[in-house]
Amino acid sequence: MTHSFQIHRRALLGGVTAGIGLAYAGRAGAQPRAGRNKLVMVVARGAMDGLSVTIPYQDPDYAALRGGLAISPPGQEDGALALSDGFGLHPALATLHGLHGDGQLRFAPAVAIPARIRSHFDAQDVLENGGGRLREQSDGWLNRALAATGGNGLSIGAQTPLILRGATPISSWAPGGNVRGGDRIASLLQDLYVDHPMLGDSLARGLETEALAAMSDDGAPVRRNDAAGLGQAVGRLMTGEAGADLVALSMDGWDTHARQRPQIQSRLTGLDQLIGGLRTGLGEEWARTIVVVTTEFGRTVRVNGTQGTDHGTASSLLLLGGALKNGAPIGDWPTLAENRLFEGRDLAPTLDVRSVFKGVLRDHIGVDRALLDTQVFPDSAREAPGVNGLT
């Protein structure tokens, strides 16, 4: 639900909240299961330019094709942060680079959804429904994974994305703003539900959860544009006996048709802060967590006339977290040679993104391969898990 008021710290449960969040209250009493592995899906909406995230600086065609968007090699001013196999991270991703140094980051440099679509909304539908075609499924593959595992699902934001919609109940939380009068509304709801055998207890737990999520380290409420604070809040909602197991959140603003360089710098800085905050909020649970950063499609290899890029095909996918085993890049690199570009303009995909998702769900969450092939990603047996021994 969208939060429309705020409860002040001294007035209720000893914590500042961004809203009551009855959507979360309904799941706050889930049965405790100790030592559960955690998964966070971050969807970069708008088509994240993979060539600006995991930079193939040793590819002989990279610099010429990217022109003013090319990132210098490691060691040069504003250069890429060295990874392996001739790749580097964008210099805005210092936190992620530190994770790589700890063996907690891997990447797939050329993944794509199974359908060749360059419409944002249609491609996001395929990415999230988990099928092979547009609108093949009416629910989301992460919701179906919840049905297979019996875990707790959590959607971050005002609206639940398709990836988490479905028959399995989930929770939701969104950071909110200041609107006066919230204390009275909360008190009225507590009075209304005080004698209800289920809603009274659920409301109290929901209020506690909201207080836990909405409070930043300095005691201020979390704002929507505070990436680090948001990450911390999400992490806190994943800890404890009833913490969420599978989480989905969206980051918007990746449709960089013009002036891409400063926009990418800003977006990746926010992503880096989000991951840093998430690690802080999770605390010891970080050791059982994997984060996947994915997008609906990539962008054109060549720069357009407004120093941006247009809708493309393959992009990068990032895997990171304390539960991740160190390893090489995932999937093959197609190169940027002219005769290897998809339709003469895009990075060619070498791996179906569902293969990576399957590897994460099988090795980290424990979903059986048969269920992955038939229920979570229906009719997808030909797409084997693209990562083995992930965790």
Side-chain angles (χ1 to χ4, degrees):
M1 70 183 280
T2 301
H3 305 304
S4 59
F5 58 88
Q6 182 178 25
I7 305 167
H8 297 287
R9 179 173 186 137
R10 293 173 182 160
L12 181 66
L13 299 177
V16 179
T17 75
I20 285 187
L22 285 176
Y24 200 90
R27 293 282 289 175
Q31 290 185 351
R33 293 179 295 114
R36 310 186 308 266
N37 283 345
K38 309 288 185 176
L39 172 63
V40 181
M41 294 295 306
V42 179
V43 181
R45 298 188 184 277
M48 180 178 70
D49 180 32
L51 293 175
S52 292
V53 179
T54 55
I55 299 153
Y57 63 89
Q58 286 189 353
D59 189 297
D61 297 293
Y62 167 73
L65 285 170
R66 297 299 275 179
L69 299 184
I71 304 294
S72 301
Q76 297 188 16
E77 184 177 0
D78 296 324
L81 306 173
L83 294 174
S84 61
D85 297 78
F87 287 89
L89 280 176
H90 190 282
L93 297 173
T95 299
L96 271 62
H97 189 246
L99 294 176
H100 176 262
D102 293 335
Q104 297 182 12
L105 183 145
R106 295 180 67 182
F107 63 96
V111 300
I113 59 174
R116 298 295 165 255
I117 298 173
R118 295 192 181 101
S119 159
H120 292 299
F121 299 110
D122 290 350
Q124 288 171 19
D125 179 274
V126 176
L127 176 72
E128 297 179 68
N129 79 45
R133 298 182 301 276
L134 177 65
R135 287 184 281 278
E136 185 171 286
Q137 307 294 325
S138 60
D139 56 357
W141 63 262
L142 198 58
N143 189 280
R144 298 194 293 272
L146 279 169
T149 63
N152 300 334
L154 173 63
S155 169
I156 305 299
Q159 295 182 336
T160 300
L162 174 61
I163 194 171
L164 262 179
R165 294 179 199 162
T168 304
I170 64 161
S171 311
S172 63
W173 177 79
N178 288 304
V179 177
R180 295 179 180 178
D183 297 352
R184 176 170 171 75
I185 296 174
S187 298
L188 289 172
L189 284 172
Q190 285 184 304
D191 291 342
L192 178 65
Y193 294 143
V194 66
D195 294 323
H196 196 285
M198 181 180 70
L199 290 179
D201 188 46
S202 292
L203 176 60
R205 287 195 301 267
L207 289 169
E208 291 178 3
T209 300
E210 288 286 338
L212 177 67
M215 181 73 73
S216 64
D217 286 347
D218 61 3
V222 175
R223 302 298 180 187
R224 290 183 177 88
N225 61 354
D226 177 6
L230 176 61
Q232 292 172 24
V234 174
R236 287 191 291 268
L237 285 176
M238 298 176 67
T239 61
E241 293 289 343
D245 305 315
L246 307 187
V247 177
L249 64 90
S250 300
M251 293 189 72
D252 299 323
W254 300 89
D255 197 15
T256 50
H257 287 285
R259 299 181 66 249
Q260 176 172 304
R261 197 174 185 98
Q263 291 190 70
I264 283 289
Q265 175 75 32
S266 175
R267 303 297 180 271
L268 292 179
T269 297
L271 175 62
D272 200 62
Q273 293 171 347
L274 175 76
I275 299 303
L278 182 63
R279 180 176 58 176
T280 299
L282 280 163
E284 294 181 356
E285 296 286 353
W286 176 255
R288 289 192 286 269
T289 300
I290 284 183
V291 182
V292 181
V293 181
T294 189
T295 192
E296 68 264 31
F297 49 72
R299 308 195 71 82
T300 50
V301 169
R302 296 180 181 86
V303 185
N304 63 27
T306 57
Q307 287 301 298
T309 53
D310 300 317
H311 298 177
T313 305
S315 187
S316 297
L317 177 146
L318 300 175
L319 292 178
L320 49 102
L324 188 66
K325 281 187 177 179
N326 197 7
I330 303 163
D332 296 326
W333 174 244
T335 81
L336 297 174
E338 181 69 30
N339 64 352
R340 297 299 304 276
L341 298 181
F342 179 72
E343 296 185 347
R345 48 168 275 165
D346 299 341
L347 179 66
T350 62
L351 190 64
D352 189 318
V353 71
R354 295 175 298 174
S355 293
V356 183
F357 298 156
K358 281 185 174 185
V360 173
L361 291 176
R362 183 193 64 183
D363 294 350
H364 183 59
I365 302 300
V367 182
D368 181 76
R369 171 70 191 274
L371 289 177
L372 291 172
D373 291 345
T374 59
Q375 297 183 27
V376 180
F377 301 98
D379 301 319
S380 68
R382 65 186 180 279
E383 301 297 340
V387 190
N388 290 311
L390 183 68
T391 60

